[in-house]
Amino acid sequence: MSVEAAEIGVGRRKLIARKVARYALLTVLAVIVLFPIYITLVNSLLKPAQITRQPPKLFPTDPQWSSYSKAWDYGNMSTYLKNSFIVTFIITAGQVVTAILAGYAFAFLSFPFKRTLFVVFLATLMVPFEVTIVTNITTVSDIGWYNTYAGLAVPFLATGFGAFLMRQAFLVLPHDLRDAAALDGYGHWRFLTRVAVPLARPAVAALTVFAFLAAWNQYLWPLLVTKDDSLRTVQIGLKQLQGVSIDQVNITFAGAIIAVLPLVILLLVFQKQLVRGLTAGAVKG
């Protein structure tokens, strides 16, 4: 064997070793991330007395599937899930639309104080939600939106993060593209809907996922601006289910699995677009 062939063999072995080490690390990280969800699933299928037993059981030998039907009935999940879907859909759609419009304006339009206004948008990211919560509740009550879907959703229809994300996505598009579209008779609205948004689809998908996750997991705001069970969301329902099934904790775990299921489905559907959206800036930068 020549020296050159030996060096190629050593290089290949090093490359394979690095790949094996990388996948081993990713496997360990995946197990760490997924383990709490797995334990929740296992506990939902165990009998209440088995959950506190030591050492803990990692595999249910006699699955208690009835805990899911009990969680659905005791926790009034149909109403809470319906409310969560309605509020989350309104918030997600609102944030995507306002972020696209604001991002396009900051990327392609010229108007007075453009840079200053963008800095103000970014500054809103540094204000914690808890600081403005009293003011927001007072405003919602004065308008007459307390204990309504409008009160739950309207304060979250626009975010500085969404405007920033879409501005950055539109900025990587060549401005020559906008000039060429203008020569073809495309106005701003037509260029936005037929050219800019399709090209920025990964960023739109990433924003959709972020907005959905944030809206679905809200707990404090729905708790403060609603008083009727008929308007409360699934996160509050989980807390109430914990009180109802205090001696049957497997039902609470089953309710948690039901609540997290829509998020898992969303991530599986949008995973490719989400990864592209997160890595687009790094690749093009």
Side-chain angles (χ1 to χ4, degrees):
M1 180 182 295
S2 66
V3 175
E4 184 179 355
E7 290 178 349
I8 293 175
V10 171
R12 285 181 177 174
R13 284 194 292 273
K14 286 183 178 178
L15 182 61
I16 293 173
R18 279 198 294 268
K19 282 188 176 180
V20 170
R22 186 184 307 162
Y23 281 110
L25 176 62
L26 291 175
T27 302
V28 172
L29 293 176
V31 170
I32 293 173
V33 171
L34 295 177
F35 188 71
I37 299 177
Y38 175 73
I39 287 296
T40 304
L41 177 62
V42 170
N43 286 343
S44 71
L45 297 174
L46 295 176
K47 295 177 181 178
Q50 295 176 316
I51 295 176
T52 56
R53 184 177 300 172
Q54 294 296 333
K57 295 193 67 167
L58 297 179
F59 303 99
T61 53
D62 181 20
Q64 304 295 305
W65 297 106
S66 61
S67 58
Y68 283 88
S69 59
K70 291 178 181 177
W72 188 270
D73 295 334
Y74 294 171
N76 196 14
M77 283 292 179
S78 58
T79 300
Y80 293 140
L81 284 173
K82 180 197 72 175
N83 292 335
S84 282
F85 273 116
I86 292 174
V87 174
T88 301
F89 175 79
I90 295 173
I91 292 176
T92 303
Q95 286 192 15
V96 170
V97 171
T98 56
I100 288 175
L101 295 177
Y104 182 84
F106 284 121
F108 285 103
L109 302 185
S110 297
F111 51 88
F113 307 111
K114 176 179 173 180
R115 186 178 296 275
T116 304
L117 285 173
F118 184 65
V119 172
V120 171
F121 263 72
L122 293 184
T124 61
L125 299 177
M126 303 175 189
V127 181
F129 170 70
E130 289 76 10
V131 173
T132 60
I133 196 166
V134 174
T135 305
N136 286 337
I137 291 174
T138 303
T139 304
V140 166
S141 298
D142 291 344
I143 295 175
W145 286 350
Y146 182 77
N147 203 40
T148 65
Y149 285 126
L152 285 167
V154 170
F156 302 96
L157 293 184
T159 63
F161 169 74
F164 172 75
L165 180 66
M166 292 312 304
R167 173 186 178 269
Q168 299 307 110
F170 289 141
L171 280 180
V172 300
L173 301 180
H175 272 248
D176 292 344
L177 196 62
R178 170 70 191 114
D179 297 335
L183 291 176
D184 288 338
Y186 278 47
H188 284 296
W189 179 253
R190 197 175 175 191
F191 175 73
L192 170 67
T193 55
R194 297 195 179 185
V195 179
V197 170
L199 290 176
R201 192 168 56 248
V204 175
L207 176 61
T208 301
V209 173
F210 289 141
F212 191 97
L213 291 176
W216 186 267
N217 288 325
Q218 279 190 350
Y219 175 77
L220 183 59
W221 181 255
L223 181 65
L224 293 176
V225 297
T226 59
K227 62 179 180 181
D228 296 337
D229 274 351
S230 60
L231 283 170
R232 294 200 152 170
T233 55
V234 70
Q235 304 301 335
I236 301 175
L238 278 181
K239 183 63 179 175
Q240 294 179 350
L241 181 62
Q242 187 178 9
V244 171
S245 58
I246 191 169
D247 57 341
Q248 302 181 65
V249 288
N250 58 333
I251 296 178
T252 304
F253 284 111
I257 292 295
I258 293 174
V260 82
L261 199 57
L263 303 182
V264 174
I265 294 174
L266 179 75
L267 290 175
L268 292 176
V269 171
F270 284 97
Q271 59 174 333
K272 288 185 179 179
Q273 297 292 342
L274 179 62
V275 172
R276 288 178 186 170
L278 293 174
T279 58
V283 173
K284 294 180 181 179

